[in-house]
Amino acid sequence: MSWDDKPVVITVAPTGAEVTRDDQPALPHTPLEIAADAVACADAGAAVVHLHVREEDGTPSSRLELFVETIALIRERSSVVTMVSTGGAVWMPMDERMAGLEAGPDMAGIETGSMNFGEEPFVTIPSDARRVVERAHTLEIALEAEMFDVGHVIQGVRMLEQGELLPPLRANLVFGVPGGVDASPEGLDAMLRPLPASTHWSVTAVGRHQRRMLALALLRGAGGIRVGFEDGVYLRRGVLAASNSELVADAVELAKTLGRTVATIDEARAILSVPSRREIIASGEGA
Ligand code: KMH
Ligand code: ZN
């Protein structure tokens, strides 16, 4: 199958840790709101939902109960792949960032390096990354590396080669965060160069170049693209999106315009090698 025949996996990141309701009034906070958004986004074409949680007042949180409730509410209504962030917010200690793993998601993100995240340090030292890997492997949670700069890509590949990260390598390349790689064709080239050919790579971009970067990624054969309020609150320059699902519908249209098909949830699970938790439990391999 050539790359342009391969369905593209759309991920939605509905909440994040930085955006506020002042930026985007439709930002979901509670487990009910996040789950409703996740289901609407799955109906619109998303196959994966990247989850952060918030306290009711919008404060970024890592409370396990919130992850558990959010994932349970999503699973009641959809088989969309659930992925928890272990990046959390810049000020969260690693123990808090890892809390969502205990909710038994299908997948989790893992940071493979440190950076300036705008004006703040966003630190993941190798021993902390290894803690995430070990806990995720114990719980049979598939990992996606969140890579904001070339050094993160190189370190992720090193972790794969050293047998710390298990294949297949799933890499989400994030462009345009101040302090990380820039959202440009040259930035994409630099991030792709160290990756083994077998990598499932997706692209996230923040800022005004977002849509162009996603288009470029789709034309370069990306396995996935990501949208959602975590990354951008606008549908077009100066036009706020009405909902996360509107951003997903727009991403679907973009992919189809560029000759790509969009992965169903089942196709995405096969592409990512991520069975549902029900399948893991039924096979007797997991708890
Ligand atoms: N909130 C950012 C500091 C991730 O989820 O892996 C980190 C982040 C990345 O959102
Ligand atoms: Zn995130």
Side-chain angles (χ1 to χ4, degrees):
M1 190 188 276
S2 75
W3 67 264
D4 52 339
D5 291 328
K6 210 168 162 190
V8 61
V9 177
I10 295 184
T11 296
V12 64
T15 305
E18 285 79 27
V19 63
T20 71
R21 280 203 178 148
D22 288 339
D23 308 316
Q24 173 44 271
L27 183 73
H29 284 173
T30 65
L32 261 177
E33 290 165 352
I34 296 171
D37 250 25
V39 173
C41 288
D43 290 345
V48 179
V49 56
H50 169 89
L51 295 166
H52 292 247
V53 291
R54 302 281 183 111
E55 298 298 330
E56 217 161 318
D57 66 0
T59 308
S61 178
S62 57
R63 263 202 305 134
L64 176 58
E65 300 78 17
L66 295 175
F67 278 112
V68 168
E69 192 182 346
T70 303
I71 291 171
L73 287 167
I74 293 172
R75 286 186 177 152
E76 272 174 21
R77 293 167 55 197
S78 175
S79 59
V80 67
V81 177
T82 54
M83 178 201 298
V84 297
S85 166
T86 66
V90 288
W91 45 265
M92 281 181 191
M94 200 62 203
D95 284 345
E96 285 187 29
R97 283 168 50 181
M98 291 175 64
L101 293 172
E102 308 304 318
D106 297 314
M107 293 183 76
I110 176 174
E111 329 300 319
T112 54
S114 303
M115 65 185 296
N116 292 325
F117 199 91
E119 296 295 318
E120 311 284 342
F122 178 38
V123 177
T124 306
I125 58 174
S127 58
D128 278 345
R130 283 194 287 272
R131 283 175 63 201
V132 173
V133 169
E134 280 161 24
R135 193 65 191 142
H137 289 171
T138 301
L139 297 171
E140 298 188 53
I141 296 166
L143 290 169
E144 173 190 88
E146 310 297 324
M147 296 162 160
F148 296 79
D149 212 337
V150 177
H152 301 176
V153 180
I154 290 169
Q155 177 64 6
V157 172
R158 188 177 295 137
M159 290 173 78
L160 180 76
E161 287 170 353
Q162 291 177 346
E164 291 173 353
L165 276 177
L166 296 178
L169 181 60
R170 307 173 197 86
N172 180 39
L173 312 177
V174 185
F175 296 86
V177 173
V181 67
D182 60 316
S184 68
E186 295 77 15
L188 180 59
D189 285 343
M191 295 288 275
L192 289 178
R193 201 166 297 123
L195 288 175
S198 58
T199 306
H200 171 84
W201 60 275
S202 65
V203 164
T204 295
V206 305
R208 66 196 175 92
H209 297 299
Q210 185 194 37
R211 209 157 182 272
R212 275 195 292 277
M213 278 307 287
L214 298 187
L216 182 62
L218 288 163
L219 292 172
R220 288 288 299 272
I225 54 173
R226 189 175 104 172
V227 292
F229 292 159
E230 174 167 345
D231 309 322
V233 297
Y234 291 98
L235 185 63
R236 297 280 180 274
R237 186 180 289 225
V239 181
L240 274 183
S243 61
N244 276 299
S245 58
E246 189 177 35
L247 292 171
V248 171
D250 186 59
V252 169
E253 197 184 303
L254 180 66
K256 288 183 175 168
T257 300
L258 297 175
R260 302 289 304 269
T261 59
V262 172
T264 63
I265 294 170
D266 285 346
E267 285 171 336
R269 285 188 182 278
I271 290 166
L272 296 166
S273 306
V274 175
S276 74
R277 300 303 287 178
R278 277 188 214 99
E279 287 168 51
I280 293 175
I281 290 164
S283 75
E285 288 164 14

CSV table of all heavy atoms in Angstrom, one decimal, residues 69-108:
chain,number,residue,atom,x,y,z
A,69,GLU,N,-13.3,8.8,35.3
A,69,GLU,CA,-14.7,9.2,34.9
A,69,GLU,C,-14.7,9.5,33.5
A,69,GLU,O,-15.6,9.1,32.7
A,69,GLU,CB,-15.1,10.3,35.8
A,69,GLU,CG,-16.6,10.5,35.7
A,69,GLU,CD,-17.1,11.7,36.5
A,69,GLU,OE1,-16.4,12.2,37.4
A,69,GLU,OE2,-18.3,12.2,36.3
A,70,THR,N,-13.8,10.3,33.0
A,70,THR,CA,-13.8,10.8,31.6
A,70,THR,C,-13.7,9.5,30.7
A,70,THR,O,-14.5,9.4,29.7
A,70,THR,CB,-12.6,11.7,31.3
A,70,THR,OG1,-12.7,12.8,32.2
A,70,THR,CG2,-12.7,12.2,29.9
A,71,ILE,N,-12.8,8.6,30.9
A,71,ILE,CA,-12.6,7.5,30.1
A,71,ILE,C,-13.8,6.6,30.1
A,71,ILE,O,-14.3,6.0,29.1
A,71,ILE,CB,-11.3,6.8,30.4
A,71,ILE,CG1,-10.1,7.6,30.0
A,71,ILE,CG2,-11.2,5.4,29.8
A,71,ILE,CD1,-8.7,7.2,30.5
A,72,ALA,N,-14.4,6.4,31.3
A,72,ALA,CA,-15.6,5.5,31.5
A,72,ALA,C,-16.7,6.1,30.7
A,72,ALA,O,-17.4,5.4,29.9
A,72,ALA,CB,-15.9,5.4,32.9
A,73,LEU,N,-16.9,7.4,30.7
A,73,LEU,CA,-18.0,8.0,30.0
A,73,LEU,C,-17.8,7.9,28.5
A,73,LEU,O,-18.8,7.7,27.7
A,73,LEU,CB,-18.2,9.5,30.4
A,73,LEU,CG,-18.7,9.8,31.8
A,73,LEU,CD1,-18.5,11.2,32.2
A,73,LEU,CD2,-20.2,9.4,31.9
A,74,ILE,N,-16.6,8.0,28.1
A,74,ILE,CA,-16.3,7.9,26.6
A,74,ILE,C,-16.6,6.5,26.2
A,74,ILE,O,-17.3,6.2,25.2
A,74,ILE,CB,-14.8,8.3,26.3
A,74,ILE,CG1,-14.6,9.8,26.5
A,74,ILE,CG2,-14.5,7.9,24.9
A,74,ILE,CD1,-13.1,10.2,26.4
A,75,ARG,N,-16.1,5.5,27.0
A,75,ARG,CA,-16.2,4.1,26.6
A,75,ARG,C,-17.7,3.6,26.6
A,75,ARG,O,-18.0,2.7,25.9
A,75,ARG,CB,-15.4,3.2,27.5
A,75,ARG,CG,-13.9,3.3,27.1
A,75,ARG,CD,-13.0,2.4,27.9
A,75,ARG,NE,-11.6,2.5,27.5
A,75,ARG,CZ,-10.6,2.2,28.2
A,75,ARG,NH1,-10.8,1.8,29.5
A,75,ARG,NH2,-9.4,2.4,27.8
A,76,GLU,N,-18.5,4.3,27.4
A,76,GLU,CA,-20.0,3.9,27.4
A,76,GLU,C,-20.6,4.2,26.0
A,76,GLU,O,-21.5,3.5,25.6
A,76,GLU,CB,-20.7,4.8,28.4
A,76,GLU,CG,-20.8,4.2,29.8
A,76,GLU,CD,-21.4,5.2,30.7
A,76,GLU,OE1,-22.2,6.1,30.3
A,76,GLU,OE2,-21.1,5.1,32.0
A,77,ARG,N,-20.0,5.1,25.3
A,77,ARG,CA,-20.7,5.6,24.1
A,77,ARG,C,-19.8,5.5,22.8
A,77,ARG,O,-20.4,5.7,21.7
A,77,ARG,CB,-21.1,7.1,24.3
A,77,ARG,CG,-22.2,7.2,25.3
A,77,ARG,CD,-22.4,8.6,25.7
A,77,ARG,NE,-22.7,9.5,24.6
A,77,ARG,CZ,-22.6,10.9,24.7
A,77,ARG,NH1,-22.2,11.4,25.8
A,77,ARG,NH2,-22.9,11.6,23.6
A,78,SER,N,-18.6,5.2,22.9
A,78,SER,CA,-17.7,5.1,21.7
A,78,SER,C,-16.5,4.2,21.9
A,78,SER,O,-16.0,4.1,23.1
A,78,SER,CB,-17.2,6.6,21.4
A,78,SER,OG,-16.3,6.6,20.4
A,79,SER,N,-16.0,3.7,20.8
A,79,SER,CA,-14.8,2.9,20.9
A,79,SER,C,-13.6,3.7,20.5
A,79,SER,O,-12.5,3.1,20.2
A,79,SER,CB,-14.9,1.6,20.0
A,79,SER,OG,-15.2,2.0,18.6
A,80,VAL,N,-13.8,5.0,20.4
A,80,VAL,CA,-12.6,5.9,20.0
A,80,VAL,C,-11.4,5.6,20.9
A,80,VAL,O,-11.6,5.3,22.1
A,80,VAL,CB,-13.1,7.4,20.2
A,80,VAL,CG1,-13.4,7.8,21.6
A,80,VAL,CG2,-12.0,8.3,19.5
A,81,VAL,N,-10.2,5.6,20.4
A,81,VAL,CA,-9.0,5.3,21.1
A,81,VAL,C,-8.8,6.4,22.2
A,81,VAL,O,-8.7,7.6,21.8
A,81,VAL,CB,-7.8,5.2,20.2
A,81,VAL,CG1,-6.5,5.0,21.0
A,81,VAL,CG2,-8.0,4.1,19.1
A,82,THR,N,-8.7,6.0,23.4
A,82,THR,CA,-8.4,7.0,24.5
A,82,THR,C,-6.9,7.1,24.8
A,82,THR,O,-6.3,6.1,25.0
A,82,THR,CB,-9.2,6.6,25.8
A,82,THR,OG1,-8.8,5.3,26.1
A,82,THR,CG2,-10.7,6.7,25.6
A,83,MET,N,-6.4,8.3,24.8
A,83,MET,CA,-5.0,8.5,25.1
A,83,MET,C,-4.8,9.6,26.2
A,83,MET,O,-5.4,10.7,26.0
A,83,MET,CB,-4.2,9.0,23.8
A,83,MET,CG,-2.8,9.3,24.0
A,83,MET,SD,-2.1,10.4,22.8
A,83,MET,CE,-2.3,9.5,21.3
A,84,VAL,N,-4.1,9.2,27.3
A,84,VAL,CA,-3.9,10.3,28.3
A,84,VAL,C,-2.6,11.0,28.1
A,84,VAL,O,-1.6,10.3,27.6
A,84,VAL,CB,-4.0,9.7,29.7
A,84,VAL,CG1,-5.3,9.1,30.0
A,84,VAL,CG2,-2.9,8.7,30.0
A,85,SER,N,-2.6,12.2,28.4
A,85,SER,CA,-1.3,13.0,28.4
A,85,SER,C,-0.5,12.6,29.6
A,85,SER,O,-1.0,12.4,30.7
A,85,SER,CB,-1.6,14.5,28.4
A,85,SER,OG,-0.4,15.2,28.7
A,86,THR,N,0.8,12.5,29.5
A,86,THR,CA,1.7,12.4,30.6
A,86,THR,C,2.6,13.7,30.6
A,86,THR,O,3.6,13.8,31.3
A,86,THR,CB,2.6,11.2,30.7
A,86,THR,OG1,3.5,11.1,29.7
A,86,THR,CG2,1.7,9.9,30.8
A,87,GLY,N,2.2,14.6,29.7
A,87,GLY,CA,2.9,15.9,29.7
A,87,GLY,C,2.3,16.9,30.7
A,87,GLY,O,2.9,17.7,31.3
A,88,GLY,N,1.0,16.7,30.9
A,88,GLY,CA,0.2,17.5,31.9
A,88,GLY,C,0.4,19.0,31.6
A,88,GLY,O,0.2,19.5,30.5
A,89,ALA,N,0.7,19.7,32.7
A,89,ALA,CA,1.0,21.2,32.6
A,89,ALA,C,2.4,21.4,33.0
A,89,ALA,O,3.0,20.6,33.8
A,89,ALA,CB,0.1,22.0,33.5
A,90,VAL,N,3.1,22.5,32.6
A,90,VAL,CA,4.5,22.7,32.8
A,90,VAL,C,4.9,22.6,34.3
A,90,VAL,O,6.0,22.2,34.6
A,90,VAL,CB,5.0,24.0,32.2
A,90,VAL,CG1,5.1,23.9,30.7
A,90,VAL,CG2,4.2,25.2,32.7
A,91,TRP,N,4.0,23.0,35.2
A,91,TRP,CA,4.3,23.1,36.6
A,91,TRP,C,4.0,21.8,37.3
A,91,TRP,O,4.3,21.7,38.5
A,91,TRP,CB,3.5,24.2,37.2
A,91,TRP,CG,2.0,24.2,36.8
A,91,TRP,CD1,1.5,25.0,35.8
A,91,TRP,CD2,0.9,23.5,37.4
A,91,TRP,NE1,0.1,24.7,35.7
A,91,TRP,CE2,-0.2,23.8,36.7
A,91,TRP,CE3,0.8,22.5,38.4
A,91,TRP,CZ2,-1.5,23.3,36.9
A,91,TRP,CZ3,-0.4,22.0,38.7
A,91,TRP,CH2,-1.6,22.3,38.0
A,92,MET,N,3.5,20.8,36.7
A,92,MET,CA,3.1,19.5,37.4
A,92,MET,C,4.4,18.6,37.6
A,92,MET,O,5.1,18.4,36.7
A,92,MET,CB,2.1,18.7,36.5
A,92,MET,CG,0.7,19.2,36.6
A,92,MET,SD,-0.3,18.1,35.6
A,92,MET,CE,-1.8,19.0,35.6
A,93,PRO,N,4.5,18.1,38.8
A,93,PRO,CA,5.6,17.1,39.0
A,93,PRO,C,5.3,15.8,38.3
A,93,PRO,O,4.1,15.6,38.0
A,93,PRO,CB,5.6,16.9,40.5
A,93,PRO,CG,4.3,17.5,41.1
A,93,PRO,CD,3.8,18.4,40.0
A,94,MET,N,6.3,15.1,38.1
A,94,MET,CA,6.2,13.8,37.2
A,94,MET,C,5.1,12.9,37.8
A,94,MET,O,4.4,12.3,37.0
A,94,MET,CB,7.5,13.2,37.1
A,94,MET,CG,7.6,12.2,35.9
A,94,MET,SD,7.3,13.2,34.4
A,94,MET,CE,6.8,11.9,33.3
A,95,ASP,N,5.1,12.7,39.1
A,95,ASP,CA,4.1,11.8,39.7
A,95,ASP,C,2.7,12.2,39.3
A,95,ASP,O,1.9,11.3,39.0
A,95,ASP,CB,4.2,11.8,41.2
A,95,ASP,CG,5.4,11.0,41.7
A,95,ASP,OD1,6.0,10.3,40.9
A,95,ASP,OD2,5.8,11.2,42.9
A,96,GLU,N,2.4,13.5,39.3
A,96,GLU,CA,1.1,13.9,38.9
A,96,GLU,C,0.9,13.7,37.4
A,96,GLU,O,-0.2,13.3,36.9
A,96,GLU,CB,0.9,15.4,39.2
A,96,GLU,CG,0.7,15.7,40.7
A,96,GLU,CD,0.3,17.1,40.9
A,96,GLU,OE1,-0.2,17.8,40.1
A,96,GLU,OE2,0.7,17.6,42.0
A,97,ARG,N,1.9,14.0,36.6
A,97,ARG,CA,1.8,13.9,35.1
A,97,ARG,C,1.4,12.4,34.8
A,97,ARG,O,0.8,12.2,33.8
A,97,ARG,CB,3.1,14.3,34.4
A,97,ARG,CG,3.2,15.8,34.4
A,97,ARG,CD,4.6,16.3,33.9
A,97,ARG,NE,5.1,15.6,32.8
A,97,ARG,CZ,6.3,15.9,32.2
A,97,ARG,NH1,7.1,16.7,32.8
A,97,ARG,NH2,6.7,15.2,31.2
A,98,MET,N,1.9,11.5,35.6
A,98,MET,CA,1.7,10.1,35.2
A,98,MET,C,0.4,9.5,35.7
A,98,MET,O,0.1,8.3,35.4
A,98,MET,CB,2.8,9.2,35.9
A,98,MET,CG,4.2,9.4,35.3
A,98,MET,SD,5.5,8.5,36.2
A,98,MET,CE,5.0,6.8,36.0
A,99,ALA,N,-0.4,10.3,36.5
A,99,ALA,CA,-1.5,9.7,37.2
A,99,ALA,C,-2.5,9.1,36.2
A,99,ALA,O,-3.2,8.1,36.5
A,99,ALA,CB,-2.2,10.9,38.0
A,100,GLY,N,-2.7,9.7,35.0
A,100,GLY,CA,-3.7,9.2,34.1
A,100,GLY,C,-3.5,7.8,33.6
A,100,GLY,O,-4.4,7.1,33.2
A,101,LEU,N,-2.2,7.3,33.7
A,101,LEU,CA,-1.9,5.9,33.3
A,101,LEU,C,-2.8,4.9,34.1
A,101,LEU,O,-3.2,3.9,33.6
A,101,LEU,CB,-0.5,5.6,33.5
A,101,LEU,CG,0.6,6.3,32.6
A,101,LEU,CD1,2.0,6.0,33.1
A,101,LEU,CD2,0.4,5.9,31.2
A,102,GLU,N,-3.0,5.3,35.4
A,102,GLU,CA,-3.7,4.4,36.3
A,102,GLU,C,-5.2,4.2,35.9
A,102,GLU,O,-5.9,3.3,36.4
A,102,GLU,CB,-3.6,4.8,37.8
A,102,GLU,CG,-2.1,5.1,38.2
A,102,GLU,CD,-1.2,3.8,38.0
A,102,GLU,OE1,-1.7,2.7,38.3
A,102,GLU,OE2,-0.1,4.0,37.5
A,103,ALA,N,-5.7,5.1,35.0
A,103,ALA,CA,-7.1,5.0,34.6
A,103,ALA,C,-7.3,3.9,33.5
A,103,ALA,O,-8.4,3.7,33.0
A,103,ALA,CB,-7.6,6.4,34.1
A,104,GLY,N,-6.2,3.3,33.1
A,104,GLY,CA,-6.2,2.3,32.1
A,104,GLY,C,-6.7,2.7,30.7
A,104,GLY,O,-7.6,2.1,30.1
A,105,PRO,N,-6.1,3.8,30.2
A,105,PRO,CA,-6.4,4.2,28.8
A,105,PRO,C,-5.9,3.3,27.8
A,105,PRO,O,-5.1,2.4,28.1
A,105,PRO,CB,-5.7,5.6,28.7
A,105,PRO,CG,-4.5,5.4,29.6
A,105,PRO,CD,-5.0,4.6,30.7
A,106,ASP,N,-6.3,3.4,26.5
A,106,ASP,CA,-5.7,2.6,25.4
A,106,ASP,C,-4.3,3.0,25.2
A,106,ASP,O,-3.5,2.2,24.8
A,106,ASP,CB,-6.5,2.8,24.1
A,106,ASP,CG,-8.0,2.4,24.3
A,106,ASP,OD1,-8.2,1.3,24.8
A,106,ASP,OD2,-8.9,3.1,23.8
A,107,MET,N,-4.0,4.3,25.3
A,107,MET,CA,-2.7,4.8,24.9
A,107,MET,C,-2.3,5.9,25.9
A,107,MET,O,-3.2,6.5,26.6
A,107,MET,CB,-2.7,5.5,23.5
A,107,MET,CG,-2.9,4.6,22.4
A,107,MET,SD,-2.8,5.5,20.8
A,107,MET,CE,-1.1,5.7,20.6
A,108,ALA,N,-1.0,6.3,25.9
A,108,ALA,CA,-0.6,7.5,26.6
A,108,ALA,C,0.5,8.2,25.8
A,108,ALA,O,1.2,7.5,25.0
A,108,ALA,CB,0.0,7.1,28.0
